[in-house]
């Protein structure tokens, strides 16, 4: 027999059979539990309890489970830092600090009172016991992220507050352990504070520099993903060396790489996919393996301790979420979502309990150890993990779904007014990936079928031309699919390339056309002729001319130049939405140079948005040329242009292509030609420039930037 009795003995030790069983659980849990409305996250924890050493002992919680599970825990914290909207986080930093204070103080007070007055613990033990409930594990964050509300303000401050509560909890642990061991003095505080500051500076300042250099030099997709894993573990290791828990390092790594991994990029899709498919489920199963139901029937003291722990943890988190909701005027669903996200206790709680359990204060007369945290607290923490994760899963799923439905309803109302059908005119293989990435970046929604690529073939249907078109379009489709975006590939046969593109624009009702400049060609005279005599003749399409010399993710800031009277052009606000999407999806800072009238408009918009922007008044178009020459490495350029006859047109705009070839041949730049006529009832057109039109398009901006 190929499978011997040794392979079938329990616990299973054969690595192939063990991994196969875990994969079957990961596969089956969502399929079975979704039918009865039970979050699969909870199902994985229960499955871990059933097959673990305290259940049927099918699998042991050995080093392989622990290592993979630890990666899953680090992954959860890394994704939380990676997906957080830094612009929104900066604007809401005081709210995050306020919520973090509530989430730490209320559970801590309840836990201390229960430990000191009901369980009779000493002051130091009571402080450590109370700190267990202040920490929180974002175990349901992947569920919330999948619903598309990771950028919701309530989620944002909960993630930021989690960093505060976990750091505070682990600092309490470090201080209590130091006091028990008699090591707390001035040197202790200087060492802890200094090492934490050094750790933070290394990760937040040096990691982005390393990441930007790596992504510029290395195009291989596998190497980029492995690099991300290296950064996660390096940050976790540095955190441990600094005296704090590894999960804090993973969260900081997410913040450090936040702007280098755009939320709509193929790399982000790979990071998210592997984490949710393998590492995070392994972590949930490993948590379940710690649960031992038998201990609750063997000792009433364990049940008493567990009851106090549940009241302190879940009650404290509920109070903090209600107070946060009232303080910052969140909706009831957002308040419940804060409670759902924060009520799960797993990572830092386990870390603190295990440290306290392993510290022996003294011994009894019989030689048995007296621990800082006894076995009743250890076993009670297992019940706390199970119940808190159950509550967290149900509450988070319910409230997050309601918020997602509300946001979707609000978005649907504006879809017909701000249609986006984006077309890429692909001609050069070296430009395809950059054009696809730009197209994804400017899209408001990545899950819609409004993304196209076209290659025009001469009508003689030369076989090599057809093969080349298939190759280019296949590559474009592949790049888009890597970011989980559907791209429709179109081949057109026409003697004139511009005419072929124009036919696609009419057939697919294209709103935005992206044209890429070849690496070696730049802004050639033939391209300029096709642009001015062909592409720009489509009056109802935004045209983008794009030159990319480095990956979009490595651009730290963009210089955006807007000419006089641009707000009076029909397509200005629609084009501005695309620029805003670049800022939101990449995290780059936008530096707007514009006349005072447009600066006033931008100021009103920025107040209601979450991008990082600077506003600089520039009244004369000639000043733009001096601004362009000052662009540094890792910076990009965006210029709003205009066709002859538009209100923002300036004769010097005809000199821009030659000027760019001369001054920024090695920089990324994007020329935007907004459409000049606004479509009404199909074929009828009208010029947009009056007050009513301004209000109409302004309302679009408000909906998109909400």
């Amino acid at each position: 027999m190929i499978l011997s009795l040794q392979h079938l003995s329990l616990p299973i030790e054969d690595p192939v059979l063990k991994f196969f069983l875990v994969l079957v659980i990961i596969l089956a849990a969502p399929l079975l539990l979704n039918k009865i409305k039970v979050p699969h996250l909870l199902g994985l924890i229960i499955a871990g309890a059933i097959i673990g050493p305290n259940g049927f002992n099918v699998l042991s919680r050995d080093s392989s489970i622990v290592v993979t599970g630890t990666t899953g825990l680090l992954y959860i914290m890394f994704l939380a830092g990676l997906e957080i909207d830094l612009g929104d986080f900066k604007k809401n930093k005081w709210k995050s600090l306020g919520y973090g204070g509530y989430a730490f103080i209320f559970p801590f007070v309840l836990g201390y009172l229960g430990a000191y007055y009901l369980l009779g613990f000493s002051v130091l033990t009571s402080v450590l016991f109370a700190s267990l409930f202040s920490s929180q594990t974002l175990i349901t964050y992947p569920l919330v992220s999948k619903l598309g509300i990771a950028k919701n303000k309530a989620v944002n401050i909960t993630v930021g507050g989690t960093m505060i509560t976990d750091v505070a909890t682990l600092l309490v642990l470090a201080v209590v352990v130091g006091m028990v061991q008699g090591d707390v003095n001035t040197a202790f505080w200087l060492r802890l504070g200094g090492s934490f500051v050094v750790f933070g500076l290394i990760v937040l300042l040096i990691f982005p520099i390393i990441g930007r250099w790596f992504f510029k030099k290395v195009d291989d997709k596998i190497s980029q993903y492995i690099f991300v894993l290296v950064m996660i573990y390096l940050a976790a290791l540095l955190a441990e060396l600094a005296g704090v828990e590894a999960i804090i390092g993973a969260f900081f790594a997410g913040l450090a790489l936040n702007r280098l991994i755009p939320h709509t990029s193929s790399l982000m899709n790979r990071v998210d996919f592997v984490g949710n498919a393998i590492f995070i489920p392994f972590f949930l199963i490993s948590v379940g393996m710690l649960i031992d139901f038998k201990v609750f029937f063997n000792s009433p003291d364990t049940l008493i301790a567990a009851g106090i722990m549940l009241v302190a943890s879940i009650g404290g988190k509920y109070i903090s979420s209600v107070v946060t909701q009232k303080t910052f005027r969140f909706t009831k669903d957002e308040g419940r979502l804060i409670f759902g996200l924060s009520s799960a206790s797993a990572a830092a709680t386990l870390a603190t309990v295990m440290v306290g359990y392993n510290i022996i204060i003294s011994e009894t007369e019989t030689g048995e150890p007296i621990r800082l945290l006894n076995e009743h607290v250890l076993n009670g923490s297992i019940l706390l993990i199970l119940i808190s994760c159950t509550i967290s899963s149900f509450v988070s799923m319910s409230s997050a779904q309601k918020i997602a439905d509300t946001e979707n309803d609000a978005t649907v109302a504006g879809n017909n007014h701000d249609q986006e059908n984006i077309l890429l005119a692909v001609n050069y293989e070296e430009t395809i990936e950059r054009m696809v990435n730009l197209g994804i970046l400017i899209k408001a929604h990545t899950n819609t079928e409004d993304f196209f690529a076209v290659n025009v073939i001469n009508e003689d249907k030369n076989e090599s031309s057809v093969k080349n078109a298939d190759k280019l379009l296949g590559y474009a489709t592949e790049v888009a699919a890597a970011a989980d975006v559907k791209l429709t590939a179109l081949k057109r046969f026409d003697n004139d390339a511009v005419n072929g593109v124009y036919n696609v624009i009419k057939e697919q009702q294209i709103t935005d056309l992206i044209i890429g400049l070849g690496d070696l060609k730049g802004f050639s005279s033939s391209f300029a002729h096709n642009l001015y005599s062909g592409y720009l003749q489509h009056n109802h399409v935004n045209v983008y001319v794009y030159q990319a010399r480095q990956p979009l993710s490595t651009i730290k800031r963009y210089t955006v130049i807007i000419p006089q009277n641009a707000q009076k052009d029909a397509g200005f606000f629609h084009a501005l939405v695309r620029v805003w999407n670049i800022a939101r999806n990449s995290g780059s800072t936008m530096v707007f140079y514009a006349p005072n009238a447009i600066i006033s408009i931008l100021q009103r918009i920025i107040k209601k948005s979450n991008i990082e922007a600077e506003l600089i008044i520039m009244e004369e178009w000639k000043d733009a040329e001096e601004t362009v020459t000052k662009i540094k490495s890792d910076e990009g350029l965006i210029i709003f242009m205009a066709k002859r006859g538009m209100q923002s047109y300036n004769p010097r705009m005809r000199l821009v292509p030659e000027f760019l070839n001369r001054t920024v041949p090695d920089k990324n730049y994007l020329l935007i030609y907004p459409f000049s006529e606004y479509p009404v009832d199909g074929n009828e057109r009208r010029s947009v420039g009056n007050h009513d039109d301004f209000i109409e398009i302004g309302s679009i901006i408000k909906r998109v930037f909400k």
Side-chain angles (χ1 to χ4, degrees), residues 4 159 277 286 360 397 409 518 535 551 569 618 687:
S4 64
V159 172
S286 71
I360 299 175
M397 185 173 69
D409 290 343
Y535 297 119
D569 291 332
M618 185 194 70
S687 176

Side-chain angles (χ1 to χ4, degrees), residues 627-696:
T627 301
V628 171
T629 59
K630 296 179 181 179
I631 293 178
K632 302 176 182 177
S633 178
D634 300 330
E635 294 183 358
L637 172 66
I638 298 175
I639 303 179
F640 278 76
M641 303 285 284
K643 296 180 291 185
R644 189 184 300 274
M646 295 175 66
Q647 298 199 47
S648 64
Y649 178 75
N650 187 307
R652 294 182 66 88
M653 289 181 178
R654 301 285 291 195
L655 304 177
V656 168
E658 181 183 348
F659 176 74
L660 294 179
N661 281 344
R662 188 172 65 254
T663 56
V664 287
D666 58 340
K667 302 290 193 309
N668 284 25
Y669 64 75
L670 180 67
L671 302 184
I672 302 177
Y673 294 85
F675 60 75
S676 56
E677 292 182 353
Y678 196 79
V680 178
D681 298 329
N683 296 321
E684 183 185 354
R685 311 289 175 189
R686 62 182 169 88
S687 176
V688 177
N690 61 47
H691 181 69
D692 292 337
D693 297 326
F694 177 81
I695 293 175
E696 178 185 350

Side-chain angles (χ1 to χ4, degrees), residues 420-437:
E420 56 171 11
N421 290 327
I422 299 172
L423 176 65
L424 312 178
V426 296
N427 296 305
Y428 310 107
E429 184 175 359
E430 68 269 17
T431 66
I432 289 177
E433 182 173 2
R434 302 164 190 173
M435 291 173 64
V436 171
N437 289 336

Side-chain angles (χ1 to χ4, degrees), residues 74 199 203 231-232 235-237 239 244-254:
L74 297 178
F199 150 73
V203 175
M231 291 292 100
I232 296 174
L237 178 61
V244 295
E245 197 63 27
I247 56 176
I248 303 300
F251 180 78
F252 273 46

